[in-house]
Amino acid sequence: MTNPIQIRFAGPAPTDHELWRITRDPAPQLQDGEVQLKLSHVSVDPAMRGWITNKRSYIEPVQPGEIMRAFGVGEVVASKAEGFAPGDWVTGFTGLASACVLPSKFIRKIDISLAEPKDYLSGLGMTGYTAYFGITDIGQPKTGETVVISAAAGAVGSIACQVAKNLGARVIGIAGGPEKCAWLRDELKIDGVIDYKNESIREGLERETPDGIDVYYDNVGGEVLDEVLARINRRARLVICGAISQYGDMFNMKGPSNYMALITHSARMQGFTMRDYMRRVPEAFMQLLKWKHQGKLTYREHMLEGLENFPQAFEMLFRGENTGKLLIKV
Ligand code: NDP
């Protein structure tokens, strides 16, 4: 039997290509309290850029030589942990490996009769929950309010668009390129789109938000955040989910210069991670599943095959080459 494959963080490097090292080490012996997993899919996330940056954050940075942190989904093949048995399906921080041994506290069971394993990394997993809580708990759009969402055709953004629509908001998506904008308009049926790669963001916002902006779900930061701030309404809510336009240099991120608008419009800007909402995961899962069954939630995955393709996959995110949640089928 061949050894499992692992993707390890090699250490800081001048190019993204040199960040990773592929190994084929045997999985360690199973200890008490641990489970052995065979992974079916792993998730490729922009947050990985933060996880390999040695900077104060919500989670410890991955150290050089360690298996890269990642969400995964897989089947239990052996268990010395109470409550887990071979044949169970689980998700959690499994790391980038085709098989692994983990303390059971890092994973939770999933029910694959309700949804396919890959869905638990996509629209019905952390991606979906992030969009759900960001919109419902922080953005709190009221019927008829204008909600603007950046990276709107991406994994989190596309779910956020639909959650906001389902709550009765008028939704405007910002995305890069005609294909992504057409998908948002024609498939997700949102109310307006701005193709930031082919038109001025300022002009696009003027056209699509004549009554100003009540809620902004920010995935990109940078210039888009500044332009949105210039158009917010009184008591607007800005949901700071991500800032991917700034991830190229994590030590020199640029904040908004227009933040005075928060004062003049009594507006609120709030960041969050899923750590704030872990106890409420069942609520998000059930609501998203219900919307999916009602035809009020759809999502797409961009599926690559083979863990060895992770380095290229990671770079795709920052070039906007993914269409939907970027996953690797192990
Ligand atoms: P996506 O599927 O949205 O993929 C990333 C997308 O970002 C790309 O496809 C691209 O879309 C866009 N993008 C890339 N570079 C830039 C840039 N320089 N300027 C503007 N847009 C850019 O990824 P996710 O849905 O997984 O993540 C979206 C955001 O949400 C990220 O910022 C991420 O860090 C954040 N996030 C936050 C979480 C939290 O708990 N707070 C949890 C999960 C994600 P396009 O072609 O349209 O430019």
Side-chain angles (χ1 to χ4, degrees), residues 225-280:
L225 175 56
D226 251 331
E227 293 294 346
V228 166
L229 275 164
R231 294 192 64 76
I232 56 173
N233 290 333
R234 187 163 164 74
R235 302 211 183 279
R237 287 80 69 200
L238 286 84
V239 184
I240 306 300
C241 175
I244 196 167
S245 74
Q246 302 298 305
Y247 294 177
D249 186 352
M250 294 296 243
F251 292 99
N252 290 295
M253 298 180 110
K254 289 205 175 54
S257 60
N258 252 344
Y259 74 96
M260 274 287 290
L262 298 171
I263 303 172
T264 53
H265 294 86
S266 302
R268 177 162 55 84
M269 188 156 130
Q270 187 184 326
F272 75 107
T273 70
M274 268 306 296
R275 197 173 53 158
D276 308 332
Y277 293 103
M278 286 315 288
R279 286 216 197 102
R280 290 176 59 192

Side-chain angles (χ1 to χ4, degrees), residues 46 154-156 176 180 196 219-220 241-245 247 272-273 317 320 322:
V156 172
K180 289 187 181 183
Y196 79 98
N219 285 315
V220 307
C241 175
I244 196 167
S245 74
Y247 294 177
F272 75 107
T273 70
L317 285 173
N322 62 308

Side-chain angles (χ1 to χ4, degrees), residues 75-237:
E75 188 178 359
V76 175
V77 291
S79 173
K80 283 192 177 178
E82 211 181 307
F84 292 89
D88 286 345
W89 278 80
V90 297
T91 188
F93 271 141
T94 59
L96 290 179
S98 56
C100 63
V101 168
L102 290 173
S104 62
K105 65 179 179 190
F106 289 153
I107 52 170
R108 64 184 174 85
K109 278 197 222 180
I110 57 172
D111 184 345
I112 61 165
S113 71
L114 295 176
E116 287 181 59
K118 66 165 179 56
D119 292 63
Y120 286 89
L121 295 180
S122 174
L124 299 178
M126 287 297 177
T127 298
Y129 314 152
T130 301
Y132 175 84
F133 289 116
I135 292 288
T136 61
D137 207 56
I138 303 178
Q140 297 187 15
K142 299 182 195 69
T143 307
E145 282 192 330
T146 298
V147 177
V148 172
I149 296 169
S150 55
V156 172
S158 61
I159 308 273
C161 283
Q162 296 170 86
V163 173
K165 275 243 49 111
N166 292 344
L167 297 181
R170 187 173 167 273
V171 177
I172 308 301
I174 305 175
E179 188 275 335
K180 289 187 181 183
C181 286
W183 181 70
L184 287 168
R185 198 178 44 235
D186 303 338
E187 300 288 323
L188 299 196
K189 308 233 179 294
I190 65 171
D191 302 279
V193 288
I194 299 167
D195 177 354
Y196 79 98
K197 286 189 175 159
N198 292 295
E199 62 178 313
S200 129
I201 297 162
R202 184 171 300 176
E203 285 169 19
L205 287 171
E206 278 168 11
R207 183 187 67 235
E208 301 295 342
T209 64
D211 299 327
I213 297 166
D214 301 297
V215 176
Y216 174 49
Y217 192 104
D218 189 18
N219 285 315
V220 307
E223 186 196 349
V224 181
L225 175 56
D226 251 331
E227 293 294 346
V228 166
L229 275 164
R231 294 192 64 76
I232 56 173
N233 290 333
R234 187 163 164 74
R235 302 211 183 279
R237 287 80 69 200

